[in-house]
PDB file of all heavy atoms in Angstrom:
ATOM      1  N   VAL A 115      27.305  20.308  -4.723  1.00  0.00           N
ATOM      2  CA  VAL A 115      28.633  20.574  -4.175  1.00  0.00           C
ATOM      3  C   VAL A 115      29.558  21.139  -5.264  1.00  0.00           C
ATOM      4  O   VAL A 115      30.269  22.125  -5.064  1.00  0.00           O
ATOM      5  CB  VAL A 115      29.229  19.300  -3.576  1.00  0.00           C
ATOM      6  CG1 VAL A 115      30.703  19.497  -3.246  1.00  0.00           C
ATOM      7  CG2 VAL A 115      28.467  18.893  -2.318  1.00  0.00           C
ATOM      8  N   ALA A 208       9.872  22.552  -4.034  1.00  0.00           N
ATOM      9  CA  ALA A 208      10.706  22.889  -5.184  1.00  0.00           C
ATOM     10  C   ALA A 208      10.577  21.833  -6.284  1.00  0.00           C
ATOM     11  O   ALA A 208      10.570  22.153  -7.467  1.00  0.00           O
ATOM     12  CB  ALA A 208      12.173  23.017  -4.748  1.00  0.00           C
ATOM     13  N   VAL A 228      18.383   8.054 -26.598  1.00  0.00           N
ATOM     14  CA  VAL A 228      19.731   7.470 -26.598  1.00  0.00           C
ATOM     15  C   VAL A 228      19.666   5.985 -26.308  1.00  0.00           C
ATOM     16  O   VAL A 228      20.271   5.162 -27.001  1.00  0.00           O
ATOM     17  CB  VAL A 228      20.620   8.169 -25.538  1.00  0.00           C
ATOM     18  CG1 VAL A 228      22.007   7.537 -25.491  1.00  0.00           C
ATOM     19  CG2 VAL A 228      20.743   9.646 -25.865  1.00  0.00           C
ATOM     20  N   VAL A 259      33.704   7.436 -25.846  1.00  0.00           N
ATOM     21  CA  VAL A 259      34.508   8.583 -26.296  1.00  0.00           C
ATOM     22  C   VAL A 259      33.571   9.732 -26.675  1.00  0.00           C
ATOM     23  O   VAL A 259      33.820  10.895 -26.319  1.00  0.00           O
ATOM     24  CB  VAL A 259      35.380   8.169 -27.517  1.00  0.00           C
ATOM     25  CG1 VAL A 259      36.009   9.423 -28.161  1.00  0.00           C
ATOM     26  CG2 VAL A 259      36.471   7.204 -27.079  1.00  0.00           C
ATOM     27  N   LEU A 280      20.488  22.903 -24.758  1.00  0.00           N
ATOM     28  CA  LEU A 280      19.577  21.771 -24.628  1.00  0.00           C
ATOM     29  C   LEU A 280      18.808  21.541 -25.922  1.00  0.00           C
ATOM     30  O   LEU A 280      18.705  20.407 -26.405  1.00  0.00           O
ATOM     31  CB  LEU A 280      18.619  22.024 -23.471  1.00  0.00           C
ATOM     32  CG  LEU A 280      17.554  20.952 -23.214  1.00  0.00           C
ATOM     33  CD1 LEU A 280      18.209  19.592 -22.920  1.00  0.00           C
ATOM     34  CD2 LEU A 280      16.640  21.363 -22.050  1.00  0.00           C
ATOM     35  N   GLY A 315      24.059  12.954 -27.378  1.00  0.00           N
ATOM     36  CA  GLY A 315      23.176  12.409 -26.354  1.00  0.00           C
ATOM     37  C   GLY A 315      23.579  12.858 -24.975  1.00  0.00           C
ATOM     38  O   GLY A 315      22.749  13.282 -24.171  1.00  0.00           O
ATOM     39  N   PRO A 334      17.674  22.701  -4.022  1.00  0.00           N
ATOM     40  CA  PRO A 334      18.017  21.991  -5.273  1.00  0.00           C
ATOM     41  C   PRO A 334      18.335  20.520  -5.139  1.00  0.00           C
ATOM     42  O   PRO A 334      18.353  19.815  -6.140  1.00  0.00           O
ATOM     43  CB  PRO A 334      19.263  22.749  -5.736  1.00  0.00           C
ATOM     44  CG  PRO A 334      19.946  23.166  -4.477  1.00  0.00           C
ATOM     45  CD  PRO A 334      18.821  23.473  -3.509  1.00  0.00           C
TER      46      PRO A 334
END
Side-chain angles (χ1 to χ4, degrees):
V115 169
V228 177
V259 169
L280 179 59

